[in-house]
Amino acid sequence: SSSNFSPRNCFLLEHCAPSCLTMATMACRHLLIKHQGSRNPVSRRTNASTSGVTREQAQAEIQTYIDKINAEGCTEAVFAKYAQERSDCGSFKTGGDLGEFGPGDMQKQFEDGTKATEVGKMSGIVESDSGTHIIFRTK
């Protein structure tokens, strides 16, 4: 819909080559495990507090998901299945899909983690203010 077009986006459209526009956005799925250091330590999947979970526990648990996803071929479908099963983000309902986003739309650590991941691949562990993530880049 046209509601997505802010003046800034119109400026980008007028002053960017098409290649610049496609590079401006990326998309991904993610699996988030919240812990006691999370900005909002409540799971959006279970509505339970995560204040009893340490960052080390979150990292150890997410590593088990990295291993499971890799063992099952590390496809987007496999990643989505586990994000739906475990992610503490509200996006668990859609298999962790965050859709498209541009520079500055996400927390810097998350954006950097997505940028560092090849399209069609899974990241390593990424820490942000929200908690411990793994990211599957789709664009």
Side-chain angles (χ1 to χ4, degrees), residues 53-81:
V53 179
T54 66
R55 179 179 302 223
E56 291 70 31
Q57 286 170 322
Q59 288 183 344
E61 184 180 356
I62 218 160
Q63 185 60 53
T64 69
Y65 281 95
I66 291 173
D67 295 344
K68 286 181 197 179
I69 291 163
N70 280 327
E72 292 181 39
C74 198
T75 62
E76 184 178 354
V78 170
F79 189 95
K81 174 181 77 170

Side-chain angles (χ1 to χ4, degrees), residues 106-120:
M106 299 287 177
Q107 293 170 29
K108 180 162 178 15
Q109 310 103 304
F110 190 87
E111 181 184 325
D112 289 348
T114 305
K115 274 186 189 158
T117 304
E118 280 181 63
V119 174

Side-chain angles (χ1 to χ4, degrees), residues 77-137:
V78 170
F79 189 95
K81 174 181 77 170
Y82 285 115
Q84 190 159 11
E85 177 185 297
R86 178 59 186 91
S87 185
D88 288 324
C89 176
S91 66
F92 81 90
K93 294 178 187 140
T94 54
D97 191 1
L98 294 176
E100 288 195 25
F101 54 93
D105 289 341
M106 299 287 177
Q107 293 170 29
K108 180 162 178 15
Q109 310 103 304
F110 190 87
E111 181 184 325
D112 289 348
T114 305
K115 274 186 189 158
T117 304
E118 280 181 63
V119 174
K121 301 272 195 245
M122 180 171 63
S123 70
I125 295 173
V126 175
E127 287 292 342
S128 80
D129 296 340
S130 297
T132 303
H133 310 254
I134 45 177
I135 298 166
F136 190 98
R137 186 165 177 183

Side-chain angles (χ1 to χ4, degrees), residues 32-52:
L32 169 66
I33 298 183
K34 291 187 172 187
H35 51 69
Q36 59 198 190
S38 296
R39 188 175 54 181
N40 179 7
V42 175
S43 171
R44 295 276 177 231
R45 183 174 45 84
T46 64
N47 294 317
S49 170
T50 62
S51 60

